[in-house]
């Protein structure tokens, strides 16, 4: 029965892949020049056309970015993995390896978030509630998106002592936006970028980040997608991964937006390393678009996958033109692109940011909700939540 279910799923995935192939055109010059965006008028730092490669496509002189992100709460269950992989690790230019953390509220430890920010990592929002219903997110109003995401930014700033202005990124729970309501909220509330929109049509060559001055121009994998324009708002496409597996003597390609979603999972360190390197090479030997390594930490709790993942990161750090950085750092580069050698001589991004406040951790016990919260500041009277992000006593 289990095998029949797995085989049905495999066939369904294959059929869906063929449907997507038919639905979306190849990444061609016609697509790139036909989107109404003139690169001679859409200029950095505030505008970038879809399909444009920095430095007019001079890939030899471009840095290759490996962009590492983790989703959901930062807790005692995953902080040691983050420390093992990232703490005191440098890229070849001497700047610290950094990642982006899309943080949701429940079970989150704000002491750890403060620690990660101080190490140079990018802290972004992933909602307060992380409501499990994708239908809710698909149909949510602008006001609900605002409560969830600006409220999460407020919580991170107050209880993690992170400057609010430095919390600039957004990822929708389950990658499910509600189209224009989501993006209107982001634009109105001074978010700088979104990374919720998968792309399979633009994997080879892969898409670079772009601004929504001329609208959403990639394939719409998870509808609804935005239809309006949002000048200056960056979109970081979730360029998909490919995992090739042999099932009953049939070679099947699986595609996924996050590397931990491709099945079957690798079972050895060698297989994990090869899986990651195969996908990396598509970027590195192509147009050098940022290579997305998006996942949930739970995937790394298998010791073999953790070993293979760590080996991949170590191999990247040995390359003179490859840099493991956060989304914020990539976008700063997009705003002010320079040749590889000049990039390597620049100040480290982390040293240019405002500092976080000094965390004096306290454990808050909210008995009515039967929940604990680690905070960098004295405990609020109420558990911070939707509509009351600072946990104030309300009338």
């Amino acid at each position: 029965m289990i095998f029949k279910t797995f085989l049905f799923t495999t066939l369904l995935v294959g059929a869906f892949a063929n449907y997507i192939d038919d639905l979306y055109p190849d990444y061609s010059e016609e697509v790139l020049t036909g989107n109404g965006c003139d690169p001679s008028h859409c200029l950095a730092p505030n505008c970038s056309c879809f399909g444009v490669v920095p430095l007019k496509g001079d890939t030899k002189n471009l840095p290759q970015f490996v962009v590492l992100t983790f989703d959901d709460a930062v807790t005692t269950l995953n902080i040691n993995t983050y420390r093992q992989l990232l703490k005191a690790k440098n890229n070849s230019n001497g700047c610290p390896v950094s990642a982006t953390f899309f943080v949701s509220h429940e079970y989150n430890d704000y002491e750890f978030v403060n620690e990660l920010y101080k190490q140079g990592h990018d802290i972004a929002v992933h909602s307060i509630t992380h409501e499990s219903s994708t239908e809710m997110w698909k149909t949510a109003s602008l006001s609900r998106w605002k409560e969830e995401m600006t409220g999460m930014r407020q919580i991170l700033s107050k209880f993690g002592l992170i400057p609010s202005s430095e919390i600039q990124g957004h990822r929708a729970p389950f990658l499910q936006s509600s189209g224009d309501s989501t993006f209107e909220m982001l634009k109105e509330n001074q978010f700088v970028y979104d990374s919720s929109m998968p792309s399979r049509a633009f994997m080879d060559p892969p898409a670079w980040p772009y601004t929504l001055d001329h609208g959403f121009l990639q394939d719409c994998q998870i509808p609804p997608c935005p239809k309006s324009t949002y000048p200056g708002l960056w979109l970081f496409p979730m360029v998909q991964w490919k995992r090739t597996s042999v099932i009953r003597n049939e070679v099947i390609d699986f595609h996924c937006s996050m590397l931990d979603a491709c099945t079957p999972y690798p079972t050895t360190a060698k297989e994990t390393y090869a899986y990651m390197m195969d996908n990396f090479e598509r970027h590195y030997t192509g147009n050098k678009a940022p290579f997305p390594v998006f996942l949930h930490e739970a995937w790394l709790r298998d010791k073999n996958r953790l070993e293979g993942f760590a080996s991949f990161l170590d191999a990247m750090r040995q390359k003179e033109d490859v840099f493991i950085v956060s989304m914020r750092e990539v976008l700063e580069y997009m705003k002010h692109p320079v040749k590889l050698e000049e990039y390597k001589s620049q100040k480290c991004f982390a040293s240019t940011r405002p500092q976080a406040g000094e965390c004096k951790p306290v454990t808050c016990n909210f008995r009515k909700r039967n929940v604990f919260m680690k905070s960098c500041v004295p405990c609020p009277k109420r558990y911070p939540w939707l509509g009351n992000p600072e946990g104030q006593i309300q009338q």
Side-chain angles (χ1 to χ4, degrees), residues 351-387:
S351 68
T352 67
R353 300 191 306 173
Q355 293 185 349
E358 191 62 35
C359 186
K360 299 179 180 179
V362 293
T363 300
C364 308
N365 183 1
F366 300 95
R367 291 185 177 85
K368 288 185 177 180
R369 293 184 65 103
N370 192 30
V371 64
F372 291 88
M373 184 184 84
K374 184 69 76 66
S375 169
C376 288
V377 296
C379 298
K381 297 296 183 181
R382 299 285 184 267
Y383 183 58
W385 198 244
L386 206 65

Side-chain angles (χ1 to χ4, degrees), residues 246-308:
V246 178
I247 299 176
R248 297 195 71 182
N249 298 320
E250 183 179 358
V251 178
I252 298 176
D253 288 339
F254 292 88
H255 292 84
C256 49
S257 304
M258 305 182 79
L259 76 88
D260 54 343
C262 274
T263 55
Y265 290 164
T267 57
T268 66
K270 183 178 180 180
E271 189 183 1
T272 302
Y273 180 87
Y275 166 45
M276 300 186 71
M277 192 63 75
D278 286 347
N279 283 273
F280 168 76
E281 289 293 336
R282 187 173 62 252
H283 292 247
Y284 190 50
T285 61
N287 66 2
K288 280 194 168 179
F291 176 54
V293 184
F294 306 157
L295 77 161
H296 302 80
E297 182 273 343
W299 191 79
L300 297 172
R301 293 181 195 171
D302 176 277
K303 65 178 183 179
N304 293 319
R305 285 198 292 271
L306 178 61
E307 180 184 343

Side-chain angles (χ1 to χ4, degrees), residues 157-223:
S157 181
K158 181 174 180 62
F159 300 104
L161 294 179
I162 298 169
S164 180
S165 62
E166 292 299 296
I167 304 169
Q168 300 184 1
H170 164 270
R171 177 169 285 163
F174 311 105
L175 310 183
Q176 180 64 70
S177 81
S178 60
D180 284 303
S181 293
T182 305
F183 285 84
E184 186 177 343
M185 178 279 297
L186 294 173
K187 179 65 177 175
E188 287 183 356
N189 293 281
Q190 291 77 53
F191 285 96
V192 174
Y193 71 89
D194 170 77
S195 179
S196 307
M197 314 302 282
S199 176
R200 185 179 166 202
F202 302 102
M203 288 175 61
D204 193 8
W208 280 77
Y210 63 101
T211 60
L212 296 174
D213 292 63
H214 293 80
F216 178 80
L217 297 167
Q218 64 189 70
D219 41 329
C220 183
Q221 293 260 318
I222 306 177

